[in-house]
Amino acid sequence: MIVIFLVSVNKALDLPIKWTILYVACLTFLYVKIYFLAMINKVCVLGAGSTKYGKLDEGIVEIALNASKEAISSAGITPKDIQAGYISNVFGVADKQVHMAPVIMSNLGIPYVPGLTIESACGSGSVMLREAYANIAAGFYDCVLSLGVEKVTHVGTLQSTTLFSYCSDFFYEGGSGASFPGLFATIARSYMNTFKATEEDLAHVAVKNHENGLLNPKAHVRKKITVDDVLNSPMVASPLKLYDCCPFSDGASAVILCNEEFAKKSGRQYVEIIGSGRGASPAAVQGREDITTIPSTIAAAKQAYAMAGITPKDIDFAEVHDCFTIAEIIDIEDLGFFPKGTAASAVTEGATRRNGAIPINPSGGLKSKGHPIGATGVGQVVEVFEQFTGNAKDRTIKDAEIALTHNFGATGASAAVHIFKKVK
Ligand SMILES: CC(C)(COP(=O)(O)OP(=O)(O)OC[C@H]1O[C@@H](n2cnc3c(N)ncnc32)[C@H](O)[C@@H]1OP(=O)(O)O)[C@@H](O)C(=O)NCCC(=O)NCCS
């Protein structure tokens, strides 16, 4: 079109042909330059490692190093191949260590490699992963360590609840006595009233995630439970009972991210990240128009699906943020797996079990696997890597090729969604 236009202008103005050739050459050069500038590198997960989640005796640095070393060995690289470290952590202060990144890099024997510590409450892991992803996609690095870690159980439930409340909009929420169980109880009441969901429906989420967690040797709460066990467990914040809540956990998870060329050269199995999205919601629950949905999840998912060029129907399984049973029900609607108001009954009918239409949280999720908040978003990626590299054993989702991870901070003030493809 442009060439035809230029030729006609040239003819009309009776200009020499060499001018047309010059115009076309300049335009082609500009087009090629813009095309390459807009192109992003493919990003892959080359290795993954995780500690057990639960009450751990080791200190925060040791926990972090154990997961990192496992990921490095799983990727078949040495620390010297790592060009940057991305570390998600929220309450390092509880174990007397903030500024985690340089400490981890130094302990890995690469003190001159730059590291960055990222905090985004319970969503820290996925938000950090997104930054690591973006830096490889943009071509700044070929290979990075992406690590999440948390250590809180030694301070006890009371102190942990207080610390965690600092992740809410403290003026309106934590500072006014609204802990996270209390905030999610409010969300649960609203959802149950609006869509006629029941406490039994919520209990089915816990039963299913405990069933999956039982197959995960690294899960925190490995215990088979029934709907009655959930309904009869101690009340925490009505209608949420003990088994509707995730536990406080320690733990670390790490993945090695690299560009496609690096992954191919390694000759090892790897997983490709084909979509990445981030979203935000008003920090306080009271600032939202509708509390039966989480806007940050919807925004992040929309971006990730668009980037991957797929729809929710193409996802074979998902690891989602089930800090409380109600959260999983809302997540799977916001992610587009079920129409609004229908997920509770779908869960009760078994649609989200390992052999269901869309398996959710085969790892056991936050509910059973545990929730060491800085590590959670990375732990979800570890599960995808294990699933796609033949290491998920009895948890394996048959014939799965595309998976999604979803992780949010606080009541969903921040969120990130990633989509992964198995590379054969
Ligand atoms: C649910 C909760 C109040 C329980 O705290 P607690 O009563 O002090 O629990 P304890 O740590 O004393 O554990 C008591 C028992 O219950 C078990 N347990 C604790 N939390 C559990 C949970 N969420 N699910 C299942 N079992 C749990 C423990 O393993 C322990 O069992 P044991 O006696 O057989 O060892 C606490 O875990 C909690 O507040 N969770 C939510 C954390 C949170 O808000 N995270 C951020 C999300 S946004």
Side-chain angles (χ1 to χ4, degrees), residues 55 122 157 161 164 180-181 184 210 221 236 242-243 245-248 323-324 367 371 410:
K55 289 189 186 195
C122 306
T157 299
T161 304
F164 279 39
F180 280 112
F184 277 94
H210 275 246
V221 189
V236 175
L242 176 71
Y243 286 123
C245 308
C246 66
F248 288 110
C323 48
F324 298 91
K367 177 72 264 299
H371 187 23

